[in-house]
Amino acid sequence: MKYLLIFSLSLLFSLSSAQVRVEKKQAKEAYHLLNEIRKNPERYKKKLGLFNLNKVTRKSLNWNNRLAEVAESRAKDMAKRNYFDHVNPDGIGPNYYIQQAGYDLNSKWLKNKRANNFESIAWNWPSASDAIKGLIIGKEAPGYHHRKHLLGMDEWNASLYDIGIGFATTGKKGHQKSYLCVIIAKHDW
């Protein structure tokens, strides 16, 4: 029993102290890929199983450093605290952190600390670009909610224009976990 307790504590310590790496280069590559898919959805139709191409917003998203910092922080937090959710273990969602970073949002979007109007997340993809493709394909999310968000395929998502992406990894190569956070937002409403 004593050895089991020591092993459990050492395992818990090693998980909580695992090195988390923020992969900025991969985040930028995913950003460029997403804009390429938005500009040329016909090119990706077969590969990503796209349909209703006329609904894809063809305008490019603008990289926003504040949103990127929030996305990086969110991905890093999920990796450090070993959870995967739009709401962190403290009960706080992305809208709160976006506002705290100085990217002003409509006050209606801040009434609930758990609110998420702007974030898509993915877990355990080999790269940030693969995670973007996975979100667009949408096998894990019925209703293609991430696809609509990333490609601006409805009125709300088409109105969003700024983006920040964070991609964090933890663990040893070959056994690592990854967390992608994509925030696409707007100031005006």
Side-chain angles (χ1 to χ4, degrees):
M1 185 74 156
K2 178 180 174 183
Y3 297 108
L4 181 60
L5 178 61
I6 292 170
F7 176 75
S8 296
L9 289 173
S10 66
L11 181 62
L12 180 64
F13 178 74
S14 68
L15 287 174
S16 64
S17 64
Q19 182 183 2
V20 175
R21 295 168 300 282
V22 174
E23 310 279 354
K24 291 178 184 277
K25 183 179 177 190
Q26 285 205 42
K28 279 291 187 116
E29 289 171 0
Y31 160 69
H32 292 297
L33 173 65
L34 180 56
N35 271 336
E36 178 63 27
I37 294 168
R38 286 172 69 112
K39 282 189 231 174
N40 302 300
E42 295 82 7
R43 183 173 169 203
Y44 295 89
K45 179 180 179 177
K46 187 174 182 180
K47 188 181 219 177
L48 301 178
L50 298 179
F51 52 88
N52 292 334
L53 298 184
N54 59 322
K55 291 187 176 184
V56 174
T57 299
R58 305 297 173 116
K59 65 182 177 190
S60 293
L61 295 164
N62 305 306
W63 185 262
N64 182 282
N65 288 329
R66 287 185 179 175
L67 295 181
E69 288 172 13
V70 174
E72 287 173 7
S73 177
R74 299 267 304 126
K76 190 174 180 180
D77 185 55
M78 285 187 274
K80 270 187 174 178
R81 298 205 281 172
N82 196 28
Y83 72 94
F84 179 68
D85 200 330
H86 293 292
V87 178
N88 72 15
D90 304 319
I92 302 172
N95 288 12
Y96 173 84
Y97 291 109
I98 293 167
Q99 179 72 25
Q100 290 300 305
Y103 190 96
D104 292 328
L105 298 177
N106 184 325
S107 61
K108 293 177 188 175
W109 302 333
L110 301 168
K111 289 183 179 180
N112 179 350
K113 280 201 173 189
R114 301 173 66 84
N116 171 30
N117 295 85
F118 307 106
E119 181 184 77
S120 286
I121 56 176
W123 179 70
N124 256 2
W125 288 90
S127 72
S129 292
D130 287 331
I132 290 290
K133 292 174 192 172
L135 286 170
I136 290 170
I137 291 168
K139 288 182 182 175
E140 291 83 24
Y144 299 104
H145 299 294
H146 294 118
R147 178 183 292 192
K148 289 176 188 174
H149 177 231
L150 297 178
L151 300 182
M153 295 182 73
D154 57 25
E155 186 178 348
W156 166 254
N157 289 302
S159 74
L160 307 177
Y161 48 79
D162 286 334
I163 186 172
I165 298 176
F167 187 68
T169 59
T170 185
K172 295 178 183 177
K173 284 262 189 213
H175 300 289
Q176 68 185 21
K177 291 182 180 180
S178 67
Y179 299 83
L180 176 86
C181 179
V182 180
I183 298 175
I184 306 174
K186 66 178 182 176
H187 287 293
D188 55 343
W189 45 87

